Amino acid sequence: MEFNMRKVIPLLPRVNNKKAVRGLAKSVIIGIVVVIIIVGAVAAIELTTHKTSPPTVTNTSTTTPSVTNTTTTSVTGNVTITYFDDLSQSEASVMQNVIIPQFEKEYPNIHINYVDEGATDIVKSVEELELSGNVGPVIIGEDNLVIGELLNGNYLMNLTPYTSQILQNVSLIPSMVTLVKYEQSVYHGEFFIPLRGNIPLVWYNATLLRELNLTPPQNWSQLMQVASEIKAKTGVAPIMFQGHGGASTYTELYQWMVQAGGNPFLFNDSGDVLAFEYLYNLSSYFTPGYVHGYWGSYKGLLSGEYYMVDYQWPYIYSVMASEGVNMSHIGFYPGPVGPANGDHLVGGDVLAIPKGATDIPALIDFARFLLSTQVQRDFIIYLSWPAVNQQAYNNLPSNISALYKAEEEAMSNAFFREPVPWITVWGQIADKVFDTIIVDHAPYSQIPSILSQANQEMYNYLAQNYNTTVAQQYEQGVYGPLYG
């Protein structure tokens, strides 16, 4: 597929320096575009640079485009690396008790000080280190949407001289080669390297659907019908939606609007209106607890509190399995296709090194280790994280192959959110819209006007805090879902 490049007008610095909110279990997007053979994700960003022509790369089978190689010296003496990442408790446990001990055994003179922080807290920590002038040996695993905050602040090291070393013996999925080309063309360098991908699936109580002789809905009309039948036969409103607010909510909304043919950033084009009108009606079948739903909601699937989760991230598979759930009772699939498409939003995380970091050879060793076939395979088996190293997918255990077949299908038509610096403000407005239309159940007839008001609020913010050119580009639909 051809990668669509957008012209980007340089943005002025943000007045309030707002932080992006992490949206998913390992969410979302600085740009992972996925076009993979088995499963994976590709990231890319457009923030404040001019459009340039992509670099010429003739051999697309290589793990990385040709760059000037700066050979680092080997690590001498003991080094303690501070590694920031944003993981759930179960994920952090695997990282600390499985992954890091493997590395420290292989590199006995390098110790890893793991620091678990929220994505926006990692941004703050890096900013503080940069301002202190004493960064030290630091590497981060950061949400691929939130990392745009650090790029926009000019806090990240250009990794171009070290890319060939980091990706040594790493067979990136083909789409990741596209990522490297794209990042070079936009930023004239490589400031992050993809670490893991993510894509949401619909999860359901397979036992109940079999008992009711129902099949997973394949489109929005069937979803409404199946939800109605389940409620009529069980008395339970069956759908969990990530409606607690914040990035979980606006991430899910973004995908719904795209599947209706909308441009979510605009709020009020015909597809956006159609999506909210549909969700307004579907909300009759939302479980009462949906206002607390977020990226960690899944337990009601088997307790009978609800019977479908629309949508959730695949990490819950390994969590449920570790809790002793008989996974034959749980079904998952890409989900119902919308009126316009069945496209899926891709999330994930990337590796980056702050400017001024020291002990670069040790940081390169750790980054290369995290991208190695064995570690990427461990990510799949222990955490249900889609890997970016193609070799990690060879001969997977049969009990998890079905999950990756579902992800492969979802990723066959994938997009990511353009990581504009003002996405946090957009998300805050989207939250208000969701509360007004869905939670507070405003009159159905007012949905178009509510969305138009949101569009005007976003336009005004851009005009006041950036410039009229950015605001006009926004109104013209320049910013929107990006495909590769």
Side-chain angles (χ1 to χ4, degrees):
M1 299 177 65
E2 181 180 356
F3 194 89
N4 297 321
M5 304 281 289
R6 294 191 198 282
K7 182 177 180 181
V8 181
I9 299 295
L11 301 180
L12 298 178
R14 289 164 297 168
V15 172
N16 296 323
N17 194 31
K18 302 203 177 198
K19 310 297 183 202
V21 179
R22 184 176 179 84
L24 27 109
K26 293 282 110 276
S27 91
V28 201
I29 304 265
I30 253 324
I32 294 189
V33 174
V34 178
V35 186
I36 79 171
I37 294 175
I38 306 253
V39 62
V42 104
I45 7 189
E46 298 183 26
L47 287 173
T48 61
T49 57
H50 291 284
K51 175 180 174 181
T52 60
S53 300
T56 300
V57 181
T58 56
N59 182 7
T60 57
S61 64
T62 57
T63 58
T64 180
S66 178
V67 297
T68 301
N69 181 22
T70 299
T71 303
T72 59
T73 58
S74 59
V75 179
T76 57
N78 294 323
V79 176
T80 296
I81 292 174
T82 298
Y83 174 48
F84 291 91
D85 208 336
D86 176 14
L87 303 178
S88 68
Q89 184 176 354
S90 60
E91 292 169 333
S93 177
V94 171
M95 181 63 71
Q96 292 177 282
N97 298 316
V98 178
I99 305 301
I100 289 175
Q102 291 177 14
F103 174 79
E104 292 179 337
K105 181 178 180 180
E106 186 173 343
Y107 297 87
N109 59 329
I110 305 176
H111 175 69
I112 304 298
N113 175 33
Y114 175 76
V115 179
D116 195 282
E117 292 187 343
T120 54
D121 290 330
I122 293 175
V123 171
K124 295 175 184 177
S125 293
V126 171
E127 288 177 339
E128 291 170 359
L129 286 171
E130 293 295 328
L131 292 173
S132 74
N134 184 24
V135 177
V138 174
I139 187 169
I140 66 173
E142 179 63 292
D143 185 289
N144 54 19
L145 180 64
V146 176
I147 202 166
E149 298 261 340
L150 294 172
L151 277 166
N152 204 38
N154 197 29
Y155 294 134
L156 298 181
M157 181 181 294
N158 186 348
L159 301 177
T160 302
Y162 314 112
T163 301
S164 61
Q165 296 176 67
I166 294 173
L167 296 179
Q168 183 181 354
N169 300 321
V170 175
S171 179
L172 289 177
I173 56 177
S175 54
M176 290 300 172
V177 178
T178 301
L179 162 64
V180 176
K181 298 177 191 176
Y182 174 71
E183 189 181 1
Q184 284 186 329
S185 70
V186 173
Y187 293 104
H188 310 289
E190 297 162 43
F191 295 86
F192 64 87
I193 293 176
L195 173 62
R196 51 188 178 251
N198 223 345
I199 198 160
L201 302 174
V202 168
W203 302 73
Y204 61 92
N205 186 311
T207 301
L208 178 81
L209 263 63
R210 285 192 294 265
E211 290 175 353
L212 300 182
N213 197 28
L214 296 172
T215 57
Q218 298 303 306
N219 55 53
W220 284 14
S221 296
Q222 291 180 14
L223 175 60
M224 192 77 72
Q225 181 180 355
V226 168
S228 176
E229 290 189 40
I230 292 176
K231 186 174 182 179
K233 293 177 180 179
T234 66
V236 173
I239 296 175
M240 169 55 81
F241 192 97
Q242 296 187 35
H244 89 306
S248 289
T249 299
Y250 65 71
T251 295
E252 183 162 356
L253 286 175
Y254 198 103
Q255 180 167 295
W256 280 94
M257 288 189 274
V258 169
Q259 291 186 352
N263 179 347
F265 282 143
L266 290 177
F267 287 111
N268 68 337
D269 75 5
S270 59
D272 301 333
V273 174
L274 178 60
F276 270 97
E277 288 176 342
Y278 178 84
L279 290 173
Y280 183 96
N281 292 326
L282 187 67
S283 66
S284 298
Y285 306 108
F286 287 178
T287 181
Y290 84 93
V291 292
H292 306 297
Y294 72 113
W295 56 259
S297 301
Y298 67 90
K299 293 194 173 182
L301 277 175
L302 292 176
S303 69
E305 180 183 350
Y306 49 84
Y307 297 111
M308 298 185 72
V309 181
D310 246 21
Y311 285 83
Q312 193 52 281
W313 304 91
Y315 89 101
I316 66 171
Y317 183 98
S318 60
V319 174
M320 286 190 284
S322 70
E323 293 173 346
V325 172
N326 183 342
M327 297 305 292
S328 66
H329 295 307
I330 301 295
F332 43 83
Y333 73 120
V337 175
N341 58 66
D343 299 347
H344 280 64
L345 183 154
V346 180
D349 298 81
V350 296
L351 286 173
I353 297 175
K355 267 187 175 181
T358 62
D359 299 280
I360 301 301
L363 298 178
I364 290 174
D365 286 339
F366 186 54
R368 185 168 57 237
F369 174 81
L370 291 177
L371 290 166
S372 67
T373 299
Q374 182 57 53
V375 173
Q376 292 274 307
R377 184 178 175 83
D378 287 345
F379 287 169
I380 295 173
I381 294 173
Y382 290 109
L383 299 170
S384 300
W385 286 348
V388 300
N389 185 338
Q390 184 168 301
Q391 295 176 343
Y393 295 100
N394 296 334
N395 302 315
L396 286 174
S398 59
N399 65 315
I400 62 173
S401 292
L403 176 65
Y404 289 95
K405 288 179 180 178
E407 290 192 341
E408 177 186 8
E409 183 180 351
M411 289 178 173
S412 64
N413 294 288
F415 65 89
F416 64 93
R417 288 172 296 187
E418 189 164 359
V420 291
W422 39 265
I423 196 167
T424 302
V425 177
W426 176 85
Q428 292 167 348
I429 298 172
D431 273 352
K432 290 190 295 183
V433 167
F434 181 81
D435 286 343
T436 301
I437 295 175
I438 306 301
V439 179
D440 299 336
H441 227 56
Y444 183 87
S445 62
Q446 293 182 11
I447 292 176
S449 63
I450 293 170
L451 293 173
S452 291
Q453 291 169 12
N455 168 271
Q456 187 64 52
E457 183 177 352
M458 190 72 246
Y459 179 91
N460 291 342
Y461 174 86
L462 293 175
Q464 294 168 8
N465 293 274
Y466 292 90
N467 55 55
T468 56
T469 300
V470 173
Q472 290 168 1
Q473 281 194 319
Y474 164 79
E475 193 63 25
Q476 293 164 1
V478 170
Y479 309 105
L482 299 178
Y483 288 83

